[in-house]
């Protein structure tokens, strides 16, 4: 498969399809694939899956001119990869292609004659292009410079692309031409290195040598005037690493200095101004290891640095942090002493989690220490469910009143930036930032933050999403990415993190694709080696297995369930139908609209594995019997897709980044919350925020009403008995109850209807249950978790939980048994759910049971999971490894036994 395919490419249909329909960004510019606008806005039209059926291969390159240099501030220094950005709204030329340099500054435009040839090829997704300015003499016309435009396409498209280039008067220099050796592309330069220039891998290996020379992790104690809890040893080491990263003064990765000139070895960009160090990184400790407490300890130093004297002429930020913190709060084994810090004893008590009504209106959580003059404010961005985690951690681990916190959330939040800067911590959500991205008066955008922390940062894995663009545009001195699962699906997840951290030039998509993604896709072992070096440079990762945190053991058991005769018959009928749909999709290189039909087929197969009651009684109503067709002229097909998709908690509305409420599907086959899409259409031009398809309210189709416990019927099932899986689950739960009646269990499912279907048989068996799903508000979820904490026999012993809604930000250590009712495409989501139970605070052995329907699509999903786990684990290892291809079209054939 191609390394530059859109998120709706086929491998993602199998591999991570629940995330796909929602990767649009709503940007106005249409960007050529392989390019990037402003470091984040890479266009990704969900309707473009033209790469299905083959990898993007280098056809060759053409030499064109960049013109209009006199009108723009961007400059080119030596050999440099440039971004080619389509500008279809250009009033002078609808075929216009802008040229941006490595700093995202515009250099000029591709000359008009060449743009006229390239624009249709780019717009139709037949090609992706990379522009490279070779190191050439500047003599001649100083208002234009030559540029090599490297062209990538599928083999099937080679002839049509060659014909278009030839008819447009462009000379394609291909591999069989002697001039091909003049190519400056990384894919070519890696093979032919001339003169004194360093190969790409040599540059990465030099970076690796710097990493190996760094000292081993030390330990550091937080100031006890703020942090009252004793940190575990791995948390002290993590704190030491965080402080070291923030106090860095060395050059960023890939930058070198020679004779007072600073240059980037990967781009050859040079400047006489020293580039700023990257003060931050990726804090990727395993889930449940106490990252929040470690981060609060880091923030607590901001309350103490001001006691260190300031010498005239010094960089006060760097010096205070380095001298005032590193010298004052070192590990117990150090000979350095602890500097005492004055603190006011008249502190106001932090309010309890149960009295948070004012916080939700944007009022402060607690008051600052009297007399403190610190203005170092940390912005913490997280999902709403994580608010309670931060508040709880503040209450449990910090001294009352020592940190002043503001919840920038709710309708009554302040519009005054000065109010925010008077606090030590400002908590907000990704959705709030996305909503305020277009607001010029947003106080969040007016502040240069001392530190920005992205909690659960894998949320920004899609660089095209609006919330990703919003966090990338934040102004900050220190930037932290915090996630226990930095890779959820694919190496492109990490690219989004690089854009936030400003790791040049890998924060630019052309460089990431050229140097990292394409080698991985082509199976080049150097791709994984480069990624390993990059992660060793930028991240800290410890796992529970390698960290002595005293956690009880965790065991994982897979139980295979045989479907009943009736279930097997219905499953095989559905699988036969689904195969024909998938085959048509593969053969016709289907669009987003047919893609959603494939999704609904896969959802139905998975639902049958859990309970056939979730399918309509007449299977002919499940999927269309004719060709997939265009959903725009087939509203009934839209209804059928929604019936299958709305119950799956794997989907998020791309606007609010939450499971959709009052689900709506558009005529262009994108799914939103009703209120989200209506608001969006009111505030922007009438088009889909995902694909720019013209859109009005008449193009919106509404899902059937959501099921309730009373409305769930037996559907296809001929008897009222529970499904085979539900029966197996009941036996397991009864066996646990017989051993210990007080044992609490969490049953995770991706389907809300399945949670409803389980309630009746569990109640009949004498179990007290609670349910937690994505349709509940944050307050309702908090009440459920509180209720689940009541000890048995008075309290419930079973929590029926949505996998996505319960996968992050909650603590379920009161349970010791976990049941995964069906497998999920993304193993990281499952791991997050497991670690709600197996985390610091757990006192019992944790047993996890994964339930798999034998000889079904669920077994094949496990195969995809293993591929993802292998890749995610290897990027943190220092080993070369082969066979690193991303999931390909073959995986879809594997899933469907084609």
């Amino acid at each position: 498969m191609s390394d530059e395919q859109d998120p709706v490419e086929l491998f993602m249909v199998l591999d991570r399809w629940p995330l796909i329909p929602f990767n649009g960004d709503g940007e106005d510019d249409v960007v050529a694939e392989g390019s990037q606008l402003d470091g984040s806005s890479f266009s990704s039209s969900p309707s473009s899956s033209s790469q299905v059926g083959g990898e993007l291969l280098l056809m060759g390159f053409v030499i064109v001119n960049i013109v209009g240099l006199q009108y723009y501030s961007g400059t080119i220094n030596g050999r440099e990869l440039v971004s080619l950005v389509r500008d279809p709204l250009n009033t002078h030329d609808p075929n216009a292609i802008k040229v941006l340099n490595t700093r995202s500054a515009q250099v000029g435009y591709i000359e008009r004659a060449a743009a006229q040839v390239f624009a249709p090829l780019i717009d139709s997704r037949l090609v992706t292009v990379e522009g490279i300015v070779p190191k050439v003499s500047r003599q001649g016309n100083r208002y234009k410079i030559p540029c090599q435009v490297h062209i990538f396409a599928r083999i099937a498209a080679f002839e049509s692309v060659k014909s278009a280039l030839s008819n447009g008067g462009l000379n394609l220099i291909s591999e069989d031409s002697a001039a091909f050796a003049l190519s400056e592309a990384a894919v070519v330069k890696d093979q032919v290195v001339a003169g004194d220039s360093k190969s790409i891998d040599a540059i990465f290996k030099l970076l690796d040598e710097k990493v190996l020379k760094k000292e081993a992790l030390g330990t550091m104690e937080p100031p006890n005037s703020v942090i009252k809890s004793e940190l575990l040893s791995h948390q002290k080491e993590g704190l030491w690493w965080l402080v070291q990263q923030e106090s860095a003064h060395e050059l960023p990765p890939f930058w070198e200095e020679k004779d007072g000139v600073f240059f980037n070895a990967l781009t050859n960009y040079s400047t006489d101004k020293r580039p700023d160090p990257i003060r931050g990184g990726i804090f990727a400790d395993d889930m449940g290891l106490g990252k929040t407490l470690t981060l609060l300890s880091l923030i607590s130093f901001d309350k103490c640095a001001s006691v260190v004297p300031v010498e005239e002429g010094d960089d006060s930020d760097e010096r205070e942090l380095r001298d005032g913190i590193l010298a004052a709060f070192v590990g117990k084994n150090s000979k350095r002493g602890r500097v005492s810090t004055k603190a006011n004893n008249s502190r106001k008590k932090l309010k309890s989690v149960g009295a948070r009504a004012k916080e939700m209106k944007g009022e402060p959580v607690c008051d600052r220490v009297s007399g403190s003059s610190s203005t170092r404010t940390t912005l913490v961005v997280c999902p709403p469910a994580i608010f309670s985690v931060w508040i709880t951690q503040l209450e449990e681990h910090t001294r009352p009143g020592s940190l002043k916190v503001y919840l920038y959330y709710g309708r009554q939040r302040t519009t005054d930036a000065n109010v925010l800067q008077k606090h030590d911590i400002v908590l907000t959500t990704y959705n709030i930032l996305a909503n305020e991205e277009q607001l010029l008066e947003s106080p969040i955008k007016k502040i240069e933050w001392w530190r920005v922390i992205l909690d659960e940062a894998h949320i920004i894995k899609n660089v095209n999403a609006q919330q990703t663009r919003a966090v990338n545009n934040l102004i900050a001195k220190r930037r932290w990415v915090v996630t226990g699962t930095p890779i959820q699906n694919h190496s492109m997840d990490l690219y989004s993190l690089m854009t936030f951290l400003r790791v040049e030039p890998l924060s630019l998509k052309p460089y990431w694709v050229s140097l990292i993604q394409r080698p991985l896709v082509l199976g080049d072992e150097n791709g994984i080696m480069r990624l390993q070096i990059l992660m060793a440079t930028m991240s800290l990762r410890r796992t529970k297995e390698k960290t002595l945190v005293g956690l009880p053991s965790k065991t994982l058991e897979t139980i295979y369930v045989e479907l009943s005769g009736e279930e097997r018959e219905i499953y095989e009928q559905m699988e036969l139908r689904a195969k024909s749909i998938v085959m048509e999709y593969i053969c016709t290189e289907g669009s987003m609209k047919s893609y959603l039909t494939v999704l609904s087929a896969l959802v139905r197969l998975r639902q049958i594995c859990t309970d056939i009651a979730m399918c309509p009684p007449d299977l002919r109503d499940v999927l269309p019997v004719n060709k997939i067709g265009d959903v725009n002229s087939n509203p009934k097909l839209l209804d059928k897709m929604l019936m299958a998709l709305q119950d799956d908690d794997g989907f998020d509305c791309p606007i609010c980044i939450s499971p959709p409420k009052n689900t709506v599907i558009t005529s262009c086959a994108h799914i939103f919350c009703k209120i989200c899409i209506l608001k969006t259409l009111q505030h922007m031009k009438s088009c889909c925020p995902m694909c720019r398809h013209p859109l009005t309210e008449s193009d919106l189709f509404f899902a059937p009403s959501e099921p309730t416990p009373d409305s769930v019927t037996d559907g296809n099932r001929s008897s009222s008995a529970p499904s085979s899986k539900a029966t197996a689950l009941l036996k397991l739960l009864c066996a646990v109850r017989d051993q210990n009646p007080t044992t609490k269990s969490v049953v995770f499912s991706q389907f809300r209807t399945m949670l409803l279907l389980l309630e009746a048989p569990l109640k009949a068996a004498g179990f007290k249950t609670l349910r937690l799903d994505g349709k509940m508000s944050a307050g309702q979820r908090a009440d459920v978790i509180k209720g689940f904490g009541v000890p048995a026999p008075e309290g419930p012993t079973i929590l029926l939980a949505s996998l996505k809604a319960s996968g992050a930000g909650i603590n379920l250590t009161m349970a010791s048994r976990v049941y995964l009712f069906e497998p999920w495409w993304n193993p990281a989501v499952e791991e997050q759910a497991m670690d709600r139970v197996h985390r610091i605070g757990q006192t019992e052995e944790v047993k996890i049971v994964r339930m798999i329907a034998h000889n079904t699509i669920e077994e094949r999903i496990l195969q995809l999971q293993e591929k993802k786990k292998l890749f995610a684990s290897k990027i943190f290892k220092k080993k070369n490894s082969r066979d690193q291809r991303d999931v390909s079209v073959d995986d879809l054939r594997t899933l469907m036994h084609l």
Side-chain angles (χ1 to χ4, degrees):
M1 292 301 294
S2 161
D3 51 304
E4 295 191 48
Q5 293 170 331
D6 279 336
V8 293
E9 292 164 345
L10 195 53
F11 72 78
M12 297 187 181
V13 170
L14 329 168
D15 199 9
R16 45 177 171 153
W17 61 266
L19 307 175
I20 310 316
F22 316 128
N23 286 349
D25 55 6
E27 58 181 325
D28 290 329
D29 289 326
V30 178
V31 187
E33 265 191 279
S35 333
Q36 178 175 355
L37 179 62
D38 299 330
S40 63
S41 305
F42 181 76
S43 177
S44 175
S45 171
S47 62
S48 60
S49 59
S50 61
Q51 316 312 339
V52 172
E55 294 173 349
L56 285 178
L57 301 176
L58 176 63
M59 291 182 59
F61 67 96
V62 299
I63 299 176
V64 301
N65 287 317
I66 302 173
V67 298
L69 276 65
Q70 67 271 34
Y71 302 116
Y72 301 98
S73 60
T75 59
I76 300 290
N77 296 296
R79 175 188 176 275
E80 189 168 333
L81 190 63
V82 292
S83 297
L84 304 180
V85 181
R86 277 286 285 121
D87 186 13
L89 303 180
N90 188 294
T91 56
H92 302 289
D93 181 8
N95 294 316
I97 300 175
K98 294 190 290 188
V99 181
L100 310 180
N101 66 10
T102 57
R103 294 296 179 93
S104 296
Q106 185 167 356
V107 175
Y109 280 93
I110 294 295
E111 56 188 338
R112 184 181 291 260
Q116 186 176 1
V117 179
F118 279 121
L121 297 174
I122 293 170
D123 293 344
S124 63
R125 307 288 176 166
L126 280 177
V127 302
T128 63
V129 293
E130 290 179 2
I132 303 175
V133 175
K135 193 172 184 178
V136 296
S137 171
R138 291 300 181 85
Q139 294 180 356
N141 190 334
R142 59 195 180 102
Y143 297 137
K144 66 179 181 180
I145 53 175
C147 175
Q148 295 178 358
V149 178
H150 289 78
I151 304 166
F152 296 83
R154 291 174 297 109
I155 290 179
F158 271 24
E159 291 305 318
S160 58
V161 173
K162 286 180 180 178
S163 176
L165 295 174
S166 176
N167 293 338
L170 297 180
N171 178 33
L172 178 66
I173 301 173
S174 56
E175 191 171 2
D176 54 4
S177 169
F180 187 71
L182 299 176
S183 168
E184 293 284 335
V187 68
V188 178
K189 297 287 285 183
D190 276 351
Q191 300 170 4
V192 182
V193 180
D196 295 330
S197 63
K198 298 174 184 175
S199 71
I200 301 297
D201 289 322
I203 295 170
F204 273 88
K205 286 176 180 176
L206 285 175
L207 178 62
D208 191 29
E209 291 174 4
K210 293 180 181 178
V211 174
L212 293 175
K213 289 178 181 178
K214 287 187 175 181
E215 57 185 314
L217 289 177
T219 61
M220 181 170 286
E221 300 277 355
N224 59 17
S225 60
V226 179
I227 303 297
K228 63 183 181 181
S229 302
E230 177 70 17
L231 270 62
L232 299 172
S233 58
H234 75 278
Q235 292 172 318
K236 294 176 184 178
E237 291 177 348
L239 178 58
W240 181 90
W241 183 80
L242 293 172
V243 172
Q244 290 286 337
Q245 289 289 110
E246 286 206 347
S247 60
H249 57 276
E250 69 249 20
L251 290 171
F254 311 115
W255 283 87
E256 300 176 15
E257 180 183 8
K258 188 174 182 180
D259 300 328
V261 176
F262 303 93
F263 67 97
N264 191 298
L266 288 178
T267 67
N268 285 330
Y269 178 87
S270 60
T271 176
D272 57 1
K273 181 182 178 181
R274 184 184 181 91
D276 295 329
I278 296 178
R279 289 179 173 163
I282 303 173
F283 190 21
D285 273 1
D286 212 353
M287 294 166 288
L289 286 180
K291 294 189 290 293
T292 304
L293 173 54
T294 309
L295 291 164
L296 285 174
S297 300
L298 174 68
I299 294 170
S300 69
F301 284 124
D302 300 336
K303 305 290 292 183
C304 309
S306 60
V307 304
V308 181
V310 178
E311 296 182 14
E312 187 177 353
D314 281 355
D315 182 325
S316 61
D317 287 345
E318 181 177 334
R319 182 186 45 68
E320 285 181 20
L321 193 67
R322 183 176 65 250
D323 298 338
I325 295 178
L326 291 179
F329 299 99
V330 294
K332 292 181 178 179
N333 295 329
S334 172
K335 295 181 180 178
R336 295 178 181 175
R338 184 188 297 272
V339 175
S340 63
T341 305
K342 295 181 179 180
N344 194 307
N345 292 323
S346 59
R347 301 185 179 99
K348 295 183 180 180
K349 207 166 188 178
L350 200 64
K351 293 191 283 287
S352 67
V353 176
R356 296 303 178 195
K358 289 185 178 181
E359 295 163 5
M360 304 309 288
K361 297 179 181 179
E363 296 185 17
V365 173
C366 56
D367 293 324
R368 178 190 299 275
V369 177
S370 176
S372 172
S373 61
S374 172
T375 58
R376 293 174 172 175
T377 306
T378 295
L379 176 67
V380 177
V381 188
C382 60
I386 308 297
F387 275 175
S388 61
V389 175
W390 279 85
I391 299 304
T392 301
Q393 294 284 297
L394 279 160
E395 291 177 332
E396 291 181 357
H397 303 299
T398 66
R399 300 192 183 279
S402 59
L403 292 174
K404 189 177 181 183
V405 184
Y406 188 97
L407 265 67
Y408 190 76
Y409 188 72
R411 295 182 178 179
Q412 302 302 317
R413 59 185 183 269
T414 184
T415 58
D416 188 349
N418 293 322
V419 171
L420 299 181
Q421 287 184 296
K422 293 177 182 178
H423 294 77
D424 302 297
I425 300 173
V426 174
L427 281 168
T428 192
T429 69
Y430 293 96
N431 189 30
I432 291 290
L433 293 183
N435 289 340
E436 294 193 358
E437 174 61 16
Q438 304 301 324
L439 300 179
L440 297 178
E441 296 304 312
S442 168
I444 292 282
K445 297 166 64 175
K446 295 179 180 179
I447 298 173
E448 182 181 25
W449 300 94
W450 175 254
R451 180 187 296 109
V452 171
I453 295 173
L454 302 186
D455 201 357
E456 302 291 339
H458 48 268
I459 286 177
I460 68 162
K461 60 183 175 293
N462 169 32
V463 76
N464 308 300
Q466 190 172 350
Q467 79 271 15
T468 306
R469 184 170 66 237
V471 297
N472 284 340
N473 290 337
L474 291 171
I475 306 170
K477 294 183 177 180
R478 289 152 175 78
R479 292 170 174 261
W480 285 106
V481 164
V482 183
T483 172
T485 52
I487 284 191
Q488 297 232 326
N489 298 290
H490 186 268
S491 60
M492 289 303 292
D493 296 348
L494 289 175
Y495 161 65
S496 187
L497 306 185
M498 294 301 113
T499 63
F500 173 73
L501 294 173
R502 306 287 198 268
V503 183
E504 295 180 352
L506 296 177
S507 57
L508 299 173
K509 185 153 190 174
Y511 279 94
W512 181 271
V513 168
S514 248
L515 305 181
I516 305 292
Q517 183 70 5
R518 185 171 292 122
L520 288 173
V521 171
L522 297 178
D524 185 347
E525 63 183 26
N526 290 330
I528 193 68
M529 180 271 291
R530 295 171 186 175
L531 202 50
Q532 288 170 340
I533 292 172
L534 183 64
M535 294 307 291
T537 304
M538 297 300 303
S539 70
L540 178 66
R541 168 77 169 176
R542 279 90 54 85
T543 63
K544 293 173 185 172
E545 292 75 14
K546 296 182 180 180
T547 306
L548 299 177
V549 294
L551 275 180
S553 62
K554 177 181 74 174
T555 59
L556 175 61
E557 179 184 3
T558 300
I559 292 179
Y560 291 90
V561 178
E562 294 290 345
L563 298 181
S564 68
E566 181 184 14
E567 290 167 337
R568 176 61 62 184
E569 180 181 358
I570 293 176
Y571 177 85
E572 290 179 354
Q573 289 179 40
M574 177 62 70
E575 187 173 53
L576 189 63
R577 295 278 303 282
K579 282 182 179 180
S580 64
I581 290 174
V582 170
M583 279 301 299
E584 182 180 347
Y585 181 87
I586 293 174
C587 296
T588 60
E589 300 179 1
S591 68
M592 180 66 179
K593 297 156 187 176
S594 56
Y595 152 80
L596 276 184
T597 308
V598 172
L599 293 193
S600 62
L602 295 177
V603 168
R604 287 306 189 197
L605 278 178
R606 293 164 51 231
Q607 288 176 328
I608 292 172
C609 292
T610 58
D611 196 323
I612 57 177
M614 289 194 286
C615 286
D618 188 350
L619 282 179
R620 289 176 297 179
D621 290 337
V622 176
L623 297 171
V625 294
N626 55 345
K627 296 189 67 174
I628 289 173
D630 187 344
V631 292
N632 191 29
S633 58
N634 193 350
K636 290 184 179 180
L637 176 55
L638 289 167
D639 291 338
K640 292 172 185 175
M641 289 191 290
L642 269 183
M643 288 175 65
L645 301 178
Q646 70 165 339
D647 186 50
D648 191 339
D649 268 348
F651 287 94
D652 286 336
C653 168
I655 298 173
C656 67
I657 322 300
S658 299
K661 297 179 180 179
N662 297 324
T663 311
V664 170
I665 191 168
T666 66
S667 59
C668 49
H670 294 103
I671 298 175
F672 302 93
C673 298
K674 177 182 176 181
I675 190 170
C676 290
I677 186 61
L678 290 178
K679 277 186 176 181
T680 301
L681 292 179
Q682 289 174 2
H683 290 91
M684 62 181 292
K685 55 190 178 184
S686 296
C687 64
C688 175
M690 300 287 291
C691 66
R692 314 296 192 283
H693 186 278
L695 204 62
T696 64
E697 287 191 34
S698 62
D699 298 312
L700 306 181
F701 298 84
F702 299 92
S705 59
E706 297 172 4
T708 64
D710 296 329
S711 65
V712 176
T713 65
D714 283 338
N716 264 298
R717 196 163 55 209
S718 60
S719 68
S720 59
S723 68
S724 297
K725 265 199 183 181
T727 301
L729 175 67
L730 279 169
K731 289 180 180 178
L732 293 170
L733 292 172
C734 288
V736 170
R737 182 175 59 184
D738 291 342
Q739 292 178 358
N740 185 350
T742 64
T743 298
K744 290 181 180 285
S745 303
V746 182
V747 179
F748 286 110
S749 176
Q750 296 145 48
F751 302 109
R752 182 171 181 266
T753 302
M754 193 64 238
L755 300 179
L756 299 175
L757 286 167
L758 285 171
E759 287 182 332
L762 286 172
K763 183 178 180 180
F767 290 100
K768 292 183 180 180
T769 68
L770 285 173
R771 175 167 44 86
L772 195 160
D773 62 50
K775 306 301 180 184
M776 294 179 173
S777 66
Q780 289 173 323
R781 296 186 201 188
D783 290 341
V784 169
I785 295 169
K786 182 179 179 180
F788 189 54
V790 176
E794 291 79 13
T797 56
I798 308 294
L799 177 64
L800 300 171
S802 160
L803 187 65
K804 288 294 289 293
S806 313
I810 62 174
N811 189 331
L812 297 175
T813 52
M814 65 286 287
S816 60
R817 296 291 184 271
V818 175
Y819 299 90
L820 300 173
F821 205 66
E822 62 274 315
W824 184 236
W825 308 96
N826 184 349
V829 174
E830 288 188 356
E831 290 165 8
Q832 285 182 323
M834 295 177 199
D835 286 326
R836 298 308 101 199
V837 174
H838 190 245
R839 59 191 299 110
I840 292 176
Q842 179 59 260
T843 58
E844 299 181 37
E845 177 186 353
V846 175
K847 183 176 181 180
I848 297 163
V849 178
R850 175 186 290 158
M851 306 185 72
I852 302 295
H854 181 57
N855 194 24
T856 67
I857 190 175
E858 291 189 344
E859 288 187 335
R860 290 158 239 156
I861 290 173
L862 292 184
Q863 298 175 22
L864 298 185
Q865 282 191 357
E866 290 307 312
K867 289 185 179 182
K868 290 171 179 281
K869 288 179 182 178
L870 181 64
F871 177 72
S873 65
K874 283 184 177 178
I875 67 164
F876 290 103
K877 294 180 180 178
K878 296 297 293 178
K879 297 179 181 179
N880 288 333
S881 50
R882 299 181 182 274
D883 194 21
Q884 290 301 316
R885 290 176 179 268
D886 289 316
V887 181
S888 70
V889 67
D890 291 336
D891 291 309
L892 188 47
R893 296 189 174 100
T894 299
L895 283 173
M896 303 310 304
H897 271 182
L898 295 176

